[in-house]
Amino acid sequence: MNEPEMNTEQKILDAAKDVFQQKGMTGARMQEIADKAGINKALLHYYYRTKEKLFEKVFNIAFSIFIPKMQEIMLSEKPVFEKIDFFIENYMDLLTKHPYIPGFVINELNRNPQILVNIFEKNVQIKENKLFEKFDAQIQAEVQKGIIKPIDTRNLMTNVIGLIVFPIVARPIIQGIMFENDKKQYDVFLKQRKDFVKEFIINSIKA
Amino acid sequence: MNEPEMNTEQKILDAAKDVFQQKGMTGARMQEIADKAGINKALLHYYYRTKEKLFEKVFNIAFSIFIPKMQEIMLSEKPVFEKIDFFIENYMDLLTKHPYIPGFVINELNRNPQILVNIFEKNVQIKENKLFEKFDAQIQAEVQKGIIKPIDTRNLMTNVIGLIVFPIVARPIIQGIMFENDKKQYDVFLKQRKDFVKEFIINSIKA
DNA sequence: TCTATCTTTGACCAGTTGGTTAAATCGGTT
DNA sequence: AACCGATTTAACCAACTGGTCAAAGATAGA
């Protein structure tokens, strides 16, 4: 398509993203990334000196894709029900565009949890604790007002994210067992699932 | 402890389980498995001719751990609410004993979905469709009786499993972001979460 | 046109990897 | 004690892996 116009650095990042996300850090081969980028392997090392540095870059880009929208939604002034609606709507769309990222991130973090620490060190602007505290305060305020049932914020957040992410991460097994490996059927399932998850959560927490 | 009493084959399987589950198929090294089993690398190949054959064995054992209880619960004669209670109770305990298996299985299936097909070919007794059909029939029957709200069985099953498995698979990221990487605190969270998930699901689907 | 810097390449290297082989050792049988 | 199959080992190998290097092209300014 537009390959000849892209600069080498971007071609490398695109190729590396594909290979790393499909095969993981340990399974990826520098030669394959070079081939997919249409360049020499030496050139790969010219731009990103080591495999680890290239991996780190790819991982950070992947991770960053899911952070800004979360902050935006959680810090907005909407009531909790609307925030949850918004969150599900936005992240299910985002996952449709980037289905391999969650599995990639989860897997690499299990392999080496230290990666997260490095990310936090470099991105000082992500003050997760403040983010959580503010959202928690809102939840407990709405509990007081009788809008939602008494609920633990961490459990609620885990549920919302889990219900969105799990069917993407575990796609091969769910699609294989419950959908006879029918890809199209599973895509339809995921699309319809948006409203299901919204209802499921709201039903459960509304007072 | 009791290593000298174990036979070589079992020592190999134990070591292979550890290494494969922690580093994945591509990250695992035959030498490391041999070392951990306290044997020579050639002996590893004497018992399991190739890395792939050893991996297949380890994967099948891991996968099998989570199947029987599921069949038992789903095919039992309890009402749906009880089945869900039972399911959450049993699988959260199972996951406490085998926390690395879900991530391992999910990751390897994303790398090579073909593995699932091979498992089904070898385990003819797992007729998932029959299993699903019977459970689906029970759900819809209880919907008719007005016990639970109208609901899609596949979405419900995805939710139940996802709410159980996700906090285990995504432990590094959730523990890191929401629990300041406090391992003990997260263990407490998981223990308390059992009842939370039960309530969360029942609240959502009861008519 | 000359030159200095950036980009790209083919050839190469040392360390690692899964796997093999021939010989040694063990354990039981005769 | 001689024998035989199963088990275990040290030494080895070809292929692969991340990474390097010197030299060749490309590009733009003087």
Side-chain angles (χ1 to χ4, degrees):
Chain A
M1 296 272 203
N2 44 9
E3 279 185 32
E5 301 160 37
M6 272 197 281
N7 64 357
T8 307
E9 206 162 338
Q10 192 57 47
K11 279 195 294 184
I12 291 178
L13 281 181
D14 286 354
K17 184 199 72 185
D18 284 355
V19 177
F20 275 130
Q21 284 179 13
Q22 204 196 351
K23 315 211 164 171
M25 165 68 181
T26 55
R29 297 290 164 245
M30 294 299 268
Q31 187 60 61
E32 190 182 348
I33 294 174
D35 291 346
K36 197 162 267 187
I39 59 162
N40 191 285
K41 183 162 67 96
L43 194 53
L44 209 56
H45 289 278
Y46 173 77
Y47 280 96
Y48 300 91
R49 281 206 311 269
T50 66
K51 189 185 183 185
E52 304 231 349
K53 290 213 188 298
L54 178 56
F55 171 80
E56 205 178 306
K57 186 105 187 183
V58 169
F59 186 92
N60 284 342
I61 292 173
F63 195 85
S64 302
I65 289 177
F66 289 86
I67 300 300
K69 204 81 194 175
M70 175 144 70
Q71 289 182 307
E72 181 198 320
I73 295 173
M74 282 178 71
L75 293 177
S76 70
E77 293 299 325
K78 301 185 212 314
V80 171
F81 285 165
E82 270 184 54
K83 280 191 185 180
I84 291 175
D85 256 38
F86 225 72
F87 191 85
I88 294 168
E89 191 71 31
N90 277 280
Y91 273 88
M92 284 207 167
D93 286 350
L94 208 53
L95 282 175
T96 306
K97 282 183 206 145
H98 308 281
Y100 288 101
I101 291 185
F104 170 66
V105 169
I106 284 173
N107 181 42
E108 297 301 333
L109 282 180
N110 271 305
R111 191 181 54 90
N112 176 20
Q114 186 66 23
I115 306 175
L116 243 202
V117 180
N118 300 338
I119 286 186
F120 284 149
E121 277 172 6
K122 288 185 184 172
N123 294 290
V124 192
Q125 77 270 27
I126 307 179
K127 288 279 187 197
E128 292 297 339
N129 41 349
K130 295 278 174 195
L131 199 68
F132 174 81
E133 278 167 27
K134 208 189 157 193
F135 186 63
D136 186 36
Q138 181 186 14
I139 295 277
Q140 301 316 325
E142 294 203 15
V143 168
Q144 286 294 326
K145 284 190 218 158
I147 301 173
I148 56 183
K149 290 180 189 160
I151 197 165
D152 171 61
T153 306
R154 274 177 260 254
N155 266 308
L156 175 60
M157 285 178 65
T158 302
N159 287 10
V160 174
I161 297 172
L163 290 174
I164 295 171
V165 172
F166 183 72
I168 303 292
V169 173
R171 173 166 191 155
I173 192 167
I174 300 178
Q175 181 179 290
I177 290 181
M178 296 204 296
F179 292 86
E180 288 162 340
N181 244 331
D182 186 326
K183 188 181 156 9
K184 283 186 184 173
Q185 214 184 316
Y186 198 73
D187 283 332
V188 174
F189 171 72
L190 286 179
K191 206 171 285 179
Q192 293 173 336
R193 195 175 146 78
K194 249 192 223 175
D195 292 327
F196 181 89
V197 171
K198 285 182 195 169
E199 268 188 53
F200 193 87
I201 295 171
I202 303 297
N203 274 344
S204 186
I205 67 173
K206 73 178 174 218
Chain B
M1 297 269 204
N2 44 9
E3 277 185 33
E5 302 161 36
M6 273 197 280
N7 63 357
T8 306
E9 205 162 338
Q10 192 56 46
K11 279 194 295 183
I12 291 177
L13 282 182
D14 286 354
K17 183 199 74 184
D18 284 355
V19 177
F20 275 130
Q21 285 180 12
Q22 203 196 351
K23 315 213 165 170
M25 164 68 182
T26 55
R29 298 289 163 243
M30 293 300 267
Q31 187 62 60
E32 190 182 350
I33 295 173
D35 290 347
K36 197 162 268 186
I39 58 163
N40 191 285
K41 183 162 67 96
L43 194 53
L44 209 55
H45 289 277
Y46 173 76
Y47 280 96
Y48 301 91
R49 282 208 308 272
T50 66
K51 189 185 184 185
E52 304 232 347
K53 291 214 188 297
L54 179 56
F55 171 80
E56 205 178 306
K57 186 103 187 183
V58 169
F59 186 91
N60 284 342
I61 291 174
F63 195 84
S64 302
I65 289 177
F66 289 86
I67 301 300
K69 204 82 194 171
M70 175 144 69
Q71 289 182 307
E72 180 198 321
I73 295 174
M74 282 177 72
L75 293 177
S76 69
E77 292 300 326
K78 302 185 211 314
V80 171
F81 284 166
E82 270 184 54
K83 280 190 184 179
I84 291 176
D85 255 38
F86 225 72
F87 191 86
I88 294 168
E89 192 70 32
N90 277 280
Y91 272 88
M92 284 208 167
D93 285 349
L94 209 54
L95 282 175
T96 305
K97 282 183 207 145
H98 306 280
Y100 288 101
I101 291 185
F104 170 66
V105 169
I106 285 174
N107 180 42
E108 298 300 333
L109 282 180
N110 272 306
R111 190 180 55 89
N112 174 21
Q114 185 66 23
I115 305 175
L116 243 203
V117 180
N118 299 338
I119 286 187
F120 284 149
E121 279 171 5
K122 287 185 183 172
N123 294 290
V124 193
Q125 76 269 28
I126 308 179
K127 288 279 187 198
E128 292 296 339
N129 41 348
K130 296 279 172 195
L131 199 69
F132 174 80
E133 278 167 27
K134 209 190 157 192
F135 186 62
D136 187 36
Q138 182 187 12
I139 295 278
Q140 302 317 324
E142 295 202 14
V143 168
Q144 286 294 325
K145 284 190 219 160
I147 301 173
I148 56 182
K149 290 181 189 159
I151 199 165
D152 172 60
T153 306
R154 273 178 259 254
N155 264 308
L156 175 59
M157 285 177 65
T158 302
N159 286 11
V160 174
I161 297 171
L163 290 174
I164 296 171
V165 172
F166 183 72
I168 302 292
V169 174
R171 173 165 192 157
I173 191 167
I174 300 178
Q175 181 179 293
I177 291 182
M178 296 203 297
F179 292 86
E180 288 163 339
N181 244 332
D182 187 324
K183 186 178 156 11
K184 283 185 185 174
Q185 214 183 317
Y186 198 73
D187 283 332
V188 173
F189 171 71
L190 286 179
K191 205 170 283 179
Q192 293 174 336
R193 196 175 145 77
K194 249 193 221 176
D195 292 326
F196 182 88
V197 171
K198 284 181 193 170
E199 268 188 53
F200 192 87
I201 295 171
I202 303 296
N203 276 344
S204 186
I205 66 174
K206 73 177 173 218

